[in-house]
Amino acid sequence: MEEESGRGREGGGLSERACRILAGADVGVAGGALVLFWLTFAARMQGEYWWSKWNVAGAVFYGERVYGMGWGRASLAGAAVLLLVYAVLGVLFSFLARPRGVVFNAMAGLTVALLWHQAGVWLFWPKWGPGVAFYLHPVVMLPANVVFGLALVRFGPRFRSVALILGAAEWAAEFRPAAPAEPPLPEPPPLPAAIWEEASGEAETGAATGRDAGPEGPPDVEEKRPDENNPGADRTRDC
């Protein structure tokens, strides 16, 4: 197991475990951003300021002062804390997820999200600060955590992308797409009918005249005979 999870340390790239952590943090932060969006929407639906639940999450740093603070550092601190928490959840999920398998990753992501939901209700929110459990009520956080769990389905594509870019070649090569097969060469177009007719006509003409299709022989030379009536004509022509 140790050799499998740490593959690629000697190849000049990141190991499989490091790529899993990066991909898990990536999908965790993306899911945390969806949680922040939902908290903003829920605050507006309850007639509160849109940043109110972000402020409440910042109570871990500012305590009870967050209830009298407007938009500002408490809001940013609360948003950062929530993103960090969900990034850690994404990293934990990365050790359970599969590089391929949407159904398995969806079920595992929802399981992790619901376990975190119960842990937040029973352990974290009551100790986070006074009033946090009221603003981050289970009715508000359950849809947010379900959305987060579904967002973890992106782990497979993100892990394969990170592996191809940063992973060592000896283990990341299995995630490279196969090269497309070369298409077969097209067949030559058929000759026009006129060319076929001309070629067949020449063959028939050659067969009728009895000549071969090969090169012709030397021309016949007519033999010269002396003129019997004027025998001196040839001599005169020779001179």
Side-chain angles (χ1 to χ4, degrees), residues 61-231:
F61 296 112
Y62 296 97
E64 298 183 5
R65 291 182 295 165
V66 296
Y67 302 107
M69 300 173 66
W71 164 256
R73 53 185 179 176
S75 309
L76 296 177
V81 168
L82 290 176
L83 288 178
L84 178 61
V85 168
Y86 285 103
V88 172
L89 291 174
V91 171
L92 296 177
F93 168 77
S94 68
F95 295 103
L96 303 175
R98 295 177 180 175
R100 295 183 176 91
V102 176
V103 176
F104 178 85
N105 288 344
M107 299 301 294
L110 287 175
T111 301
V112 170
L114 293 178
L115 289 175
W116 159 247
H117 174 75
Q118 293 299 324
V121 171
W122 293 340
L123 300 176
F124 288 93
W125 306 140
K127 297 180 180 179
W128 205 287
V132 175
F134 174 78
Y135 283 93
L136 302 181
H137 194 271
V139 177
V140 175
M141 295 304 298
L142 180 61
N145 289 320
V146 169
V147 171
F148 170 75
L150 294 177
L152 296 179
V153 178
R154 294 178 56 249
F155 174 81
R158 294 304 300 154
F159 172 73
R160 294 195 296 271
S161 299
V162 172
L164 291 177
I165 296 173
L166 302 176
E170 58 266 20
W171 68 267
E174 61 181 299
F175 300 112
R176 297 188 184 280
E182 296 183 359
L185 295 176
E187 298 182 358
L191 294 175
I195 298 180
W196 283 108
E197 293 176 359
E198 182 179 354
S200 59
E202 290 179 357
E204 292 175 358
T205 305
T209 56
R211 290 184 303 176
D212 296 335
E216 298 181 355
D220 296 335
V221 179
E222 186 178 358
E223 184 181 358
K224 294 183 181 181
R225 294 179 180 180
D227 191 352
E228 296 177 355
N229 297 326
N230 190 6

Side-chain angles (χ1 to χ4, degrees), residues 10-60:
E10 300 178 357
L14 295 180
S15 65
E16 183 179 358
R17 178 181 298 174
C19 291
R20 279 183 172 272
I21 291 174
L22 289 177
D26 181 272
V27 296
V29 171
L34 294 177
V35 171
L36 291 177
F37 178 80
W38 168 257
L39 293 179
T40 302
F41 176 76
R44 295 303 299 157
M45 291 295 294
Q46 293 176 348
E48 304 170 355
Y49 293 110
W50 65 267
W51 64 81
S52 61
K53 298 187 185 302
W54 294 22
N55 280 25
V56 171
V60 66

